[in-house]
């Protein structure tokens, strides 16, 4: 049920990360991992199933909105999840250079 804004002590801007801010440039993530990252958690944080369902509900539209800044990979196994990462063109040059230096 909708509530009037006056019912809340405060409201905040609805700011979300950009893929280049959220992802490590050389890593790929599953939807549940993206949901955790969007909430400031580690990708492998232990969350209960109900919380994970909410995180996935947030992550799916976020991925769709940012699809032009992302890449997708096929699952590693036939029944495994897909993986998503930041596209090279979406990473600022200084971050891309640092990621290349680290992997060398």
């Amino acid at each position: 049920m909708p509530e009037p804004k006056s019912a809340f002590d405060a409201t905040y801007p609805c700011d979300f990360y950009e893929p280049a801010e959220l992802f490590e440039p050389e890593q790929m993530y599953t939807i549940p991992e993206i949901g955790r990252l969007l909430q400031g958690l580690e990708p492998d944080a232990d969350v209960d199933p109900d919380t994970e369902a909410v995180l996935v509900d947030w992550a799916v539209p976020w991925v769709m909105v940012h699809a032009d800044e992302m890449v997708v990979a096929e699952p590693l196994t036939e029944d495994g999840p897909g993986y998503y990462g930041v596209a090279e063109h979406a990473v600022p040059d200084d971050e891309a250079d640092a990621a290349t230096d680290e992997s060398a």
Side-chain angles (χ1 to χ4, degrees):
M1 189 73 179
E3 296 288 341
K5 286 183 181 177
S6 61
F8 301 91
D9 292 334
T11 60
Y12 306 95
C14 190
D15 293 331
F16 290 100
Y17 296 100
E18 296 294 320
E21 298 171 313
L22 193 66
F23 299 147
E24 292 295 326
E26 299 301 317
Q27 298 294 316
M28 299 289 284
Y29 304 89
T30 64
I31 292 290
E33 291 168 340
I34 293 168
R36 289 179 181 89
L37 290 170
L38 286 168
Q39 293 299 311
L41 302 172
E42 291 296 319
D44 60 352
D46 188 32
V47 296
D48 65 79
D50 290 338
T51 300
E52 181 153 86
V54 171
L55 298 180
V56 167
D57 285 348
W58 278 67
V60 170
W62 183 88
V63 167
M64 293 172 64
V65 166
H66 293 288
D68 60 337
E69 300 169 54
M70 296 175 63
V71 294
V72 62
E74 295 290 331
L76 294 173
T77 61
E78 189 173 313
D79 59 345
Y83 285 82
Y84 303 83
V86 63
E88 286 186 33
H89 70 269
V91 177
D93 289 336
D94 55 333
E95 288 182 38
D97 292 342
T100 302
D101 292 344
E102 289 174 12
S103 64

